[in-house]
Each structure stands twice: as C-alpha cells, then as structure tokens.
Amino acid sequence: MTEVTLREAVRADLPAILALLADDVLGRAREHHTVDAAYERAFAAITADPRNQQLVAERDGEVVGCFQLTYIPGLGRHGAERALVEAVRVRADLRGQGVGEAMMSWAIDRARERGCGLVQLTTDKSRADAHRFYRRLGFVASHEGMKLPL
C-alpha cells in the first residue's frame, strides 16, 4: 500500500469527509452527501476548538479516511485528560490495507504526547469487523456505552 499521510482537515475536505461518513449501512441512514449549513457550522466549531481536531488520511493526494479527535479534561484518573476518537471511517475499497491502523496509531501517539491517561471510543454493536480491529490494536470492551438520541 502507498503511504498514508495524516493531517488536519480543511474546509475543502468536507465533501470527502461526508462521503466517507455516509458510505456504510449506518451512515446512509443518518448522513447527507451535500454540504449544508449544519455541516458548515459543525466543521467551523470543531476547527475553532483547541480541544478538537478533524483529521483526514490522504493517499496519493486523495482523502481516504477520517476521524475526529477530542481531548476531554476530567477529575477522574487523577485529573488525566482523555482522548476521544469518533467518526472513524476508511474508504470501503481500502479497508484492511492499513489505513485505519495508521489513523489510530497517529491518534494514540498524539494522546500519549499530550499526556492523556486514556484513549476511548465507541463503536456500534453491529460493527463486528470494527470490534475485531480495535481489539487487535489493544482496545478493551471494558464498559457498556449508552447513548440518548435527541
């Protein structure tokens, strides 16, 4: 596989990010391909917040993966900051070729460098392949996650 480069997303990446988010069974039901005002506001808020990063993985100049990395301060774990990884996607035809591993390694390295005490993520219960992937990277399903759609 050609080398993957990780970088912070810019506004021009938004259509590619939305395409990645919408390109799976769960994403098709909740995402749109069109950049609208809601996506513009969300992207602007992420990029303006120093505790948030929207990242993209590039291969041969093309966006092939994305994720959001958020740093959460907290009193638990002796005041350790946590790194939260969300909205991880790799282009369907490139899954299993190291793109996701490069993205997660990058996120884990940044969290370590920042002094975070934990990297956490959630993954839908129906995503068996993702569960295997994260376990292979050392993640442990130690907690039961809950969400309340609003």
Side-chain angles (χ1 to χ4, degrees), residues 14-40 42-43 46 54 66 68 86-89 95 124 127 147:
L14 198 47
I17 293 168
L18 297 182
L20 287 166
L21 293 176
D23 186 28
D24 73 1
V25 173
L26 297 173
R28 275 190 285 282
R30 60 185 178 212
E31 302 300 342
H32 304 276
H33 285 280
T34 305
V35 176
D36 62 16
Y39 286 126
E40 293 278 6
F43 185 80
I46 291 165
Q54 179 65 53
C66 65
Q68 182 176 339
E86 282 289 322
V88 178
R89 296 292 191 286
R95 291 181 191 143
D124 193 275
R127 296 185 188 275
K147 298 192 180 209

Side-chain angles (χ1 to χ4, degrees), residues 52-138:
N52 275 289
Q53 293 178 283
Q54 179 65 53
L55 289 303
V56 293
E58 259 187 349
R59 188 178 93 164
D60 298 329
E62 187 176 0
V63 173
V64 297
C66 65
F67 66 98
Q68 182 176 339
L69 184 58
T70 302
Y71 301 104
I72 306 169
L75 295 174
R77 297 181 181 264
H78 199 231
E81 201 170 46
R82 296 166 188 247
L84 173 66
V85 181
E86 282 289 322
V88 178
R89 296 292 191 286
V90 172
R91 201 172 75 192
D93 63 319
L94 296 177
R95 291 181 191 143
Q97 297 184 32
V99 176
E101 187 168 349
M103 293 184 338
M104 292 305 297
S105 292
W106 189 96
I108 293 165
D109 288 346
R110 296 299 85 68
R112 248 190 217 106
E113 290 170 6
R114 191 173 167 113
C116 292
L118 184 71
V119 176
Q120 62 188 33
L121 55 83
T122 60
T123 179
D124 193 275
K125 288 185 177 190
S126 68
R127 296 185 188 275
D129 291 341
H131 301 167
R132 280 189 295 279
F133 168 71
Y134 292 124
R135 280 193 301 272
R136 185 172 59 76
L137 295 178

